[in-house]
Amino acid sequence: MRTLFHSDSCKETQLNVLNPQSWLQVERGKVSKVAAQASTSIGSLVKVPEPPIVPHYKPLDYVQVLAQIHEELESCPPDERSNLYLLQFQVFRGLGEVKLMRRSLRTAWLKASSVHEKIIFGSWLKYEKKGEEFIFDLLASCSKCAKEFGPIDVASELRVDCSSCSSEIASISGRDSVETVIFRIGNDRIHCDRQKMACLSSPFRAMLNGCFSESYSEEIDFSENNISPMGMRAISVFSSTGCLNDVSPELLVEMLIFANKFCCESLKDACDRKLASLVSSRQDAVDLLECAIEENSPILAASCLQVFLHDLPDCLNDDRVVEILGNANGEQLSIVVGKASFSLFCLLSEVSMSLDARSDINVLFLERLVQCAKDKQQKMIAYHQLGCARLLRKEYGEAEKLFQEAEKEGHVYSIAGLARISYIKGQKSWAFEKLNSLILSSTPIGWMYQERSLYYEGDKRWNDLERATELDPTLTYPYMYRASSLMRKQEAEAAIAEINRILGFKLALECLELRFCFYLALENYEAAFCDVQAILTLSPGYRVFEGRVAATKLRMLVREHVEKWTTADCWLKLYDRWSSVDDIGSLSVIYQMLESDAAKGVLYFRQSLLLLRLNCPEAAMRSLQLARQHASSEDERLVYEGWILYDTGHCEEGLSKAEESIKLKRSFEAFFLKAYALADSSQDPSCSSAVISLLEDALKCPSDRLRKGQALNNLGSVYVDCGKYDLAADCYVNALKIRHTRAHQGLARVHFLRNDKTAAYEEMTKLIEKAQNNASAYEKRSEYCDRDLTKADLEMVTRLDPLRVYPYRYRAAVLMDSHKEKEAIEELSRAIAFKGDVHLLHLRAAFHEHIGDVIGALRDCRAALSVDPNHQEMLELHSRVNSHEP
């Protein structure tokens, strides 16, 4: 998801406020004049802002909430499902699970019970995929249509019940009436069929066939009814044919108003649908939506809404759009969006928050969200989000009231907002007591200790932040605070080690920025240069020092103090850092190489590989797109297009692109892509020979050793799967000869399969010694040693990367084997508290079942199926446990 909160910015000329030049105006090898004032300068550089109160739904027990949602989805009416999936989305957003968030939105779209929900959730998904529109074009080039979130035909989706008068003609048979009636409008006389006009509505029927004087008149004056002669002629044609051919939009509006006035439902519906089909631009939608609301035309209104929402976020820069959507009353909203007003304002506030969380527009949409909230969960989400916006705007009184309302509805996290406001008002002890009481009265969560620490000093603050990290290691503020405290104490090595703890498993930009500041303060310009280039790779527009300085500007300043590298130097540095599994260092080198005349397509492609390894899929996709744009040949471009398609789940289309590329030129990357995609797309064991052949073809083509090492490693894996251990070992050894360090893991596997566990352990030890990022190596090595060493390795894995779930599962299984059921469940719960993982939930559900806790097992089953609805073992366990529910 996009960044929700932006720091206050000021002009670039205020760069000297933090005086970074004082750190940069140093001749290499000489001592800075500022060194004597180091402690003061370091303090200004390493100041860590308080963690924000985030506008997210954070229930005390998200597992229970997910389970409840799953249970309700099993029995709720169809028109309530999308709201439940939206709530599920909010839970996953609080957990930071981007993929699960998108899946919930997609399911809400698929399960939409109204055209309005389809428009809202389809537009939301389109907004989330902003920048990926080119993928649709790639799929079209493979003869596959994928514009699933494109505009829908509102008229065909939204049916309006229009009573017809045709059956009533019989009731007036035998009457003495003139068959033609003339409507006079000014000097124009429009001849109409009396009976067909009478069928348009009850008022017309009464007027033309009732007891009124007009019923017996051949000519009726219609000059005062706001209809033009041309409009009346079109109505006459419609009364005879039921069609509105070649009628201008202006005339259609006139006819719509007329139809509404005279209750001509079929004419109104036809005008509504025809106008809806003509809405194609924002201007059209703005012009017509007011009319749609006034004339109660739901099809036209929905079509206008769709145009607005498909134009997010740009349409929010249009005051007219904001005015229409933000100020519609309840009745008007029901015309525009039916019963989906809460979903609409969830989307609009989400977009406005990403643009500027302090803006009046964001507050306007959040106020409407509060008004539209119906149930308890909707109210706590709406109150809390508006409270966060008010807090950012320093409107403390209003924010306090909103957080109080959210807390009353049951949103405990809003207490953090109340405590923050109390502290601002000088009531520090109240803030502390509120959080202290919360910790003592509930199962504590990491954020509780993080928030309480703000009202402590010294060791007590440090202790609370240690506890916060223990409960939720994904919180960045505790690491940053500890690291900056150590830096201020001149314990630079310990400070960098502390910030490296989180950077080892979570590439948070604010943490990378803090390390950059440390290196800057220490005058380690090469390391600082590396970090700022990694920051710019991840976020090209990033601003440091609380948003006051563009990172690009600091990079230019630091660059003056770093040795210039030639292209050859860069390739050597890249080779060295890639081989030592230094992904951040590799990113930095590639960023620098992109300034040279080197082939940019290849470099952007390498960049994308590193970003995927660092779990930055959005940045990786951006790099792949840049690789495609800078491809030096058609065959190279096809390869990058193939990877784009493969990475977005279109494996067969990726395979097709690889084959197209090979037809143009036999290249390493084309063969490698084809082998990779084929291995993934086919479940047939016989395809292994084809994959082997393709990788062998790839190795015959020119390429650098970095990529050839990867191909040898992959080839070794295929040989292992085929039981050809000697050939696999040869591949891994050859990969190691060209310093493909990860090949140690493959060779260890071969040793293990040959029943040489000691050699496997030693091989993994070599990988651990060489790799900078080695949590996965410790995890793999744990498979090749006795229980005590396994336990030690897995404890190390959890220290290096607490997000890896296997160590928790292993330790829990060992405890369960030792009949320590309570401790086993606690071990799993420790990880589940901050990571919604289906494997952890599955194992805990099985443990609950084993000890006879059916309710606990059922809760975990339902929550796990919210995370992965198609997990087969989970489905089976859920079915079994469900049958035992009392």
Side-chain angles (χ1 to χ4, degrees), residues 289 293-294 296 322-338 341 344-345 364 368 371-372 374:
L289 185 54
I293 291 172
E294 287 181 2
N296 191 12
V322 174
E323 174 72 20
I324 292 168
L325 295 177
N327 294 307
N329 61 35
E331 185 180 347
Q332 292 168 337
L333 264 181
S334 68
I335 295 169
V336 176
V337 76
S341 55
L344 171 66
F345 288 110
L364 172 64
R368 298 313 309 272
Q371 292 167 12
C372 296
K374 297 290 189 295

mmCIF file of all heavy atoms in Angstrom, residues 289 293-294 296 322-338 341 344-345 364 368 371-372 374:
data_model
loop_
_atom_site.group_PDB
_atom_site.id
_atom_site.type_symbol
_atom_site.label_atom_id
_atom_site.label_comp_id
_atom_site.label_asym_id
_atom_site.label_seq_id
_atom_site.Cartn_x
_atom_site.Cartn_y
_atom_site.Cartn_z
ATOM 1 N N LEU A 289 -24.271 14.123 -13.621
ATOM 2 C CA LEU A 289 -24.605 13.512 -12.329
ATOM 3 C C LEU A 289 -25.631 14.342 -11.555
ATOM 4 O O LEU A 289 -26.527 13.789 -10.908
ATOM 5 C CB LEU A 289 -23.347 13.301 -11.482
ATOM 6 C CG LEU A 289 -23.563 12.554 -10.164
ATOM 7 C CD1 LEU A 289 -24.256 11.214 -10.400
ATOM 8 C CD2 LEU A 289 -22.253 12.335 -9.421
ATOM 9 N N ILE A 293 -29.144 12.841 -10.174
ATOM 10 C CA ILE A 293 -29.596 12.892 -8.779
ATOM 11 C C ILE A 293 -30.965 13.558 -8.692
ATOM 12 O O ILE A 293 -31.879 13.065 -8.022
ATOM 13 C CB ILE A 293 -28.562 13.636 -7.911
ATOM 14 C CG1 ILE A 293 -27.272 12.795 -7.795
ATOM 15 C CG2 ILE A 293 -29.124 13.926 -6.524
ATOM 16 C CD1 ILE A 293 -26.121 13.522 -7.133
ATOM 17 N N GLU A 294 -31.119 14.693 -9.380
ATOM 18 C CA GLU A 294 -32.389 15.431 -9.311
ATOM 19 C C GLU A 294 -33.548 14.624 -9.877
ATOM 20 O O GLU A 294 -34.673 14.685 -9.384
ATOM 21 C CB GLU A 294 -32.260 16.754 -10.067
ATOM 22 C CG GLU A 294 -31.424 17.796 -9.340
ATOM 23 C CD GLU A 294 -31.330 19.098 -10.097
ATOM 24 O OE1 GLU A 294 -31.958 19.201 -11.184
ATOM 25 O OE2 GLU A 294 -30.636 20.018 -9.622
ATOM 26 N N ASN A 296 -33.597 11.310 -10.102
ATOM 27 C CA ASN A 296 -33.618 9.947 -9.561
ATOM 28 C C ASN A 296 -33.386 8.910 -10.661
ATOM 29 O O ASN A 296 -34.176 7.989 -10.853
ATOM 30 C CB ASN A 296 -34.941 9.682 -8.842
ATOM 31 C CG ASN A 296 -34.912 8.405 -8.032
ATOM 32 O OD1 ASN A 296 -33.839 7.824 -7.819
ATOM 33 N ND2 ASN A 296 -36.068 7.941 -7.593
ATOM 34 N N VAL A 322 -15.173 16.425 -5.994
ATOM 35 C CA VAL A 322 -15.149 16.350 -4.527
ATOM 36 C C VAL A 322 -16.440 16.918 -3.953
ATOM 37 O O VAL A 322 -17.029 16.365 -3.022
ATOM 38 C CB VAL A 322 -13.922 17.108 -3.977
ATOM 39 C CG1 VAL A 322 -13.978 17.168 -2.448
ATOM 40 C CG2 VAL A 322 -12.635 16.432 -4.430
ATOM 41 N N GLU A 323 -16.906 18.027 -4.524
ATOM 42 C CA GLU A 323 -18.139 18.654 -4.065
ATOM 43 C C GLU A 323 -19.326 17.712 -4.230
ATOM 44 O O GLU A 323 -20.147 17.539 -3.315
ATOM 45 C CB GLU A 323 -18.379 19.945 -4.872
ATOM 46 C CG GLU A 323 -19.704 20.643 -4.595
ATOM 47 C CD GLU A 323 -19.765 21.330 -3.249
ATOM 48 O OE1 GLU A 323 -18.695 21.608 -2.668
ATOM 49 O OE2 GLU A 323 -20.886 21.590 -2.770
ATOM 50 N N ILE A 324 -19.421 17.074 -5.397
ATOM 51 C CA ILE A 324 -20.555 16.180 -5.676
ATOM 52 C C ILE A 324 -20.542 14.976 -4.745
ATOM 53 O O ILE A 324 -21.549 14.630 -4.115
ATOM 54 C CB ILE A 324 -20.522 15.718 -7.145
ATOM 55 C CG1 ILE A 324 -20.814 16.899 -8.078
ATOM 56 C CG2 ILE A 324 -21.531 14.610 -7.389
ATOM 57 C CD1 ILE A 324 -20.525 16.604 -9.539
ATOM 58 N N LEU A 325 -19.367 14.311 -4.632
ATOM 59 C CA LEU A 325 -19.293 13.079 -3.842
ATOM 60 C C LEU A 325 -19.278 13.349 -2.347
ATOM 61 O O LEU A 325 -19.816 12.565 -1.563
ATOM 62 C CB LEU A 325 -18.041 12.292 -4.233
ATOM 63 C CG LEU A 325 -17.991 11.758 -5.670
ATOM 64 C CD1 LEU A 325 -16.656 11.070 -5.929
ATOM 65 C CD2 LEU A 325 -19.137 10.806 -5.949
ATOM 66 N N GLY A 326 -18.658 14.465 -1.943
ATOM 67 C CA GLY A 326 -18.494 14.721 -0.511
ATOM 68 C C GLY A 326 -19.680 15.360 0.154
ATOM 69 O O GLY A 326 -19.823 15.272 1.379
ATOM 70 N N ASN A 327 -20.551 15.998 -0.619
ATOM 71 C CA ASN A 327 -21.643 16.751 -0.004
ATOM 72 C C ASN A 327 -23.031 16.225 -0.338
ATOM 73 O O ASN A 327 -24.032 16.871 -0.012
ATOM 74 C CB ASN A 327 -21.536 18.231 -0.407
ATOM 75 C CG ASN A 327 -20.296 18.884 0.170
ATOM 76 O OD1 ASN A 327 -20.052 18.829 1.362
ATOM 77 N ND2 ASN A 327 -19.478 19.474 -0.680
ATOM 78 N N ALA A 328 -23.104 15.073 -0.995
ATOM 79 C CA ALA A 328 -24.419 14.491 -1.285
ATOM 80 C C ALA A 328 -25.075 14.052 0.026
ATOM 81 O O ALA A 328 -24.422 13.474 0.896
ATOM 82 C CB ALA A 328 -24.259 13.299 -2.225
ATOM 83 N N ASN A 329 -26.388 14.333 0.155
ATOM 84 C CA ASN A 329 -27.096 13.875 1.356
ATOM 85 C C ASN A 329 -27.462 12.402 1.229
ATOM 86 O O ASN A 329 -27.185 11.767 0.210
ATOM 87 C CB ASN A 329 -28.339 14.737 1.620
ATOM 88 C CG ASN A 329 -29.350 14.667 0.473
ATOM 89 O OD1 ASN A 329 -29.516 13.621 -0.159
ATOM 90 N ND2 ASN A 329 -30.040 15.769 0.227
ATOM 91 N N GLY A 330 -28.084 11.855 2.250
ATOM 92 C CA GLY A 330 -28.370 10.423 2.270
ATOM 93 C C GLY A 330 -29.215 9.961 1.105
ATOM 94 O O GLY A 330 -28.934 8.929 0.487
ATOM 95 N N GLU A 331 -30.258 10.719 0.786
ATOM 96 C CA GLU A 331 -31.133 10.336 -0.318
ATOM 97 C C GLU A 331 -30.391 10.389 -1.644
ATOM 98 O O GLU A 331 -30.520 9.494 -2.487
ATOM 99 C CB GLU A 331 -32.343 11.272 -0.359
ATOM 100 C CG GLU A 331 -33.379 10.894 -1.400
ATOM 101 C CD GLU A 331 -34.568 11.841 -1.414
ATOM 102 O OE1 GLU A 331 -34.715 12.647 -0.468
ATOM 103 O OE2 GLU A 331 -35.345 11.781 -2.375
ATOM 104 N N GLN A 332 -29.596 11.437 -1.830
ATOM 105 C CA GLN A 332 -28.822 11.563 -3.067
ATOM 106 C C GLN A 332 -27.788 10.445 -3.185
ATOM 107 O O GLN A 332 -27.574 9.889 -4.266
ATOM 108 C CB GLN A 332 -28.133 12.930 -3.097
ATOM 109 C CG GLN A 332 -29.101 14.094 -3.234
ATOM 110 C CD GLN A 332 -28.437 15.430 -2.964
ATOM 111 O OE1 GLN A 332 -27.411 15.511 -2.284
ATOM 112 N NE2 GLN A 332 -29.031 16.495 -3.491
ATOM 113 N N LEU A 333 -27.156 10.118 -2.043
ATOM 114 C CA LEU A 333 -26.170 9.029 -2.048
ATOM 115 C C LEU A 333 -26.798 7.705 -2.464
ATOM 116 O O LEU A 333 -26.189 6.919 -3.196
ATOM 117 C CB LEU A 333 -25.544 8.868 -0.665
ATOM 118 C CG LEU A 333 -24.216 9.554 -0.398
ATOM 119 C CD1 LEU A 333 -23.758 9.241 1.009
ATOM 120 C CD2 LEU A 333 -23.163 9.148 -1.404
ATOM 121 N N SER A 334 -28.014 7.455 -1.990
ATOM 122 C CA SER A 334 -28.660 6.182 -2.321
ATOM 123 C C SER A 334 -28.916 6.077 -3.824
ATOM 124 O O SER A 334 -28.900 4.982 -4.382
ATOM 125 C CB SER A 334 -29.964 6.023 -1.542
ATOM 126 O OG SER A 334 -30.925 6.967 -1.985
ATOM 127 N N ILE A 335 -29.154 7.215 -4.479
ATOM 128 C CA ILE A 335 -29.343 7.203 -5.935
ATOM 129 C C ILE A 335 -28.017 6.881 -6.628
ATOM 130 O O ILE A 335 -27.968 6.089 -7.573
ATOM 131 C CB ILE A 335 -29.873 8.572 -6.423
ATOM 132 C CG1 ILE A 335 -31.269 8.829 -5.869
ATOM 133 C CG2 ILE A 335 -29.891 8.628 -7.958
ATOM 134 C CD1 ILE A 335 -31.764 10.245 -6.073
ATOM 135 N N VAL A 336 -26.939 7.479 -6.125
ATOM 136 C CA VAL A 336 -25.632 7.335 -6.773
ATOM 137 C C VAL A 336 -25.004 5.975 -6.491
ATOM 138 O O VAL A 336 -24.438 5.333 -7.380
ATOM 139 C CB VAL A 336 -24.673 8.458 -6.312
ATOM 140 C CG1 VAL A 336 -23.281 8.262 -6.918
ATOM 141 C CG2 VAL A 336 -25.227 9.817 -6.697
ATOM 142 N N VAL A 337 -25.110 5.501 -5.232
ATOM 143 C CA VAL A 337 -24.311 4.336 -4.837
ATOM 144 C C VAL A 337 -25.135 3.248 -4.147
ATOM 145 O O VAL A 337 -24.578 2.286 -3.618
ATOM 146 C CB VAL A 337 -23.143 4.823 -3.940
ATOM 147 C CG1 VAL A 337 -23.632 5.159 -2.546
ATOM 148 C CG2 VAL A 337 -21.994 3.852 -3.916
ATOM 149 N N GLY A 338 -26.443 3.369 -4.171
ATOM 150 C CA GLY A 338 -27.273 2.337 -3.551
ATOM 151 C C GLY A 338 -26.987 2.209 -2.070
ATOM 152 O O GLY A 338 -26.947 3.202 -1.341
ATOM 153 N N SER A 341 -22.626 2.955 0.403
ATOM 154 C CA SER A 341 -21.989 4.234 0.721
ATOM 155 C C SER A 341 -20.758 4.065 1.615
ATOM 156 O O SER A 341 -19.763 4.768 1.449
ATOM 157 C CB SER A 341 -22.995 5.177 1.382
ATOM 158 O OG SER A 341 -23.584 4.570 2.513
ATOM 159 N N LEU A 344 -17.922 3.033 -0.533
ATOM 160 C CA LEU A 344 -17.481 4.161 -1.364
ATOM 161 C C LEU A 344 -16.546 5.071 -0.593
ATOM 162 O O LEU A 344 -15.454 5.411 -1.085
ATOM 163 C CB LEU A 344 -18.697 4.958 -1.851
ATOM 164 C CG LEU A 344 -18.367 6.288 -2.564
ATOM 165 C CD1 LEU A 344 -17.637 6.028 -3.867
ATOM 166 C CD2 LEU A 344 -19.624 7.106 -2.802
ATOM 167 N N PHE A 345 -16.930 5.470 0.620
ATOM 168 C CA PHE A 345 -16.101 6.407 1.368
ATOM 169 C C PHE A 345 -14.860 5.740 1.965
ATOM 170 O O PHE A 345 -13.871 6.423 2.243
ATOM 171 C CB PHE A 345 -16.934 7.145 2.411
ATOM 172 C CG PHE A 345 -17.857 8.150 1.786
ATOM 173 C CD1 PHE A 345 -19.232 7.939 1.768
ATOM 174 C CD2 PHE A 345 -17.352 9.272 1.158
ATOM 175 C CE1 PHE A 345 -20.086 8.844 1.162
ATOM 176 C CE2 PHE A 345 -18.194 10.187 0.543
ATOM 177 C CZ PHE A 345 -19.561 9.977 0.539
ATOM 178 N N LEU A 364 -13.084 15.501 4.863
ATOM 179 C CA LEU A 364 -14.453 15.475 4.340
ATOM 180 C C LEU A 364 -14.919 14.043 4.099
ATOM 181 O O LEU A 364 -16.004 13.637 4.534
ATOM 182 C CB LEU A 364 -14.523 16.271 3.028
ATOM 183 C CG LEU A 364 -15.844 16.191 2.247
ATOM 184 C CD1 LEU A 364 -16.982 16.803 3.053
ATOM 185 C CD2 LEU A 364 -15.698 16.872 0.892
ATOM 186 N N ARG A 368 -17.771 11.675 6.124
ATOM 187 C CA ARG A 368 -18.850 10.943 5.480
ATOM 188 C C ARG A 368 -18.789 9.457 5.830
ATOM 189 O O ARG A 368 -19.815 8.784 5.966
ATOM 190 C CB ARG A 368 -18.787 11.111 3.946
ATOM 191 C CG ARG A 368 -18.957 12.517 3.422
ATOM 192 C CD ARG A 368 -20.146 13.259 4.046
ATOM 193 N NE ARG A 368 -21.401 12.526 3.997
ATOM 194 C CZ ARG A 368 -22.274 12.569 2.981
ATOM 195 N NH1 ARG A 368 -22.018 13.337 1.936
ATOM 196 N NH2 ARG A 368 -23.391 11.888 3.009
ATOM 197 N N GLN A 371 -20.465 9.005 9.078
ATOM 198 C CA GLN A 371 -21.918 9.093 8.914
ATOM 199 C C GLN A 371 -22.512 7.816 8.318
ATOM 200 O O GLN A 371 -23.640 7.429 8.645
ATOM 201 C CB GLN A 371 -22.271 10.283 8.018
ATOM 202 C CG GLN A 371 -21.973 11.634 8.637
ATOM 203 C CD GLN A 371 -22.029 12.762 7.616
ATOM 204 O OE1 GLN A 371 -22.498 12.582 6.490
ATOM 205 N NE2 GLN A 371 -21.542 13.935 8.004
ATOM 206 N N CYS A 372 -21.752 7.161 7.447
ATOM 207 C CA CYS A 372 -22.260 5.963 6.756
ATOM 208 C C CYS A 372 -22.056 4.680 7.548
ATOM 209 O O CYS A 372 -22.602 3.637 7.182
ATOM 210 C CB CYS A 372 -21.587 5.822 5.392
ATOM 211 S SG CYS A 372 -21.951 7.154 4.246
ATOM 212 N N LYS A 374 -22.462 1.763 10.007
ATOM 213 C CA LYS A 374 -23.676 1.177 10.587
ATOM 214 C C LYS A 374 -23.368 0.285 11.790
ATOM 215 O O LYS A 374 -23.902 0.490 12.865
ATOM 216 C CB LYS A 374 -24.417 0.366 9.519
ATOM 217 C CG LYS A 374 -24.924 1.194 8.340
ATOM 218 C CD LYS A 374 -26.071 2.100 8.742
ATOM 219 C CE LYS A 374 -26.721 2.749 7.530
ATOM 220 N NZ LYS A 374 -25.836 3.676 6.816
#
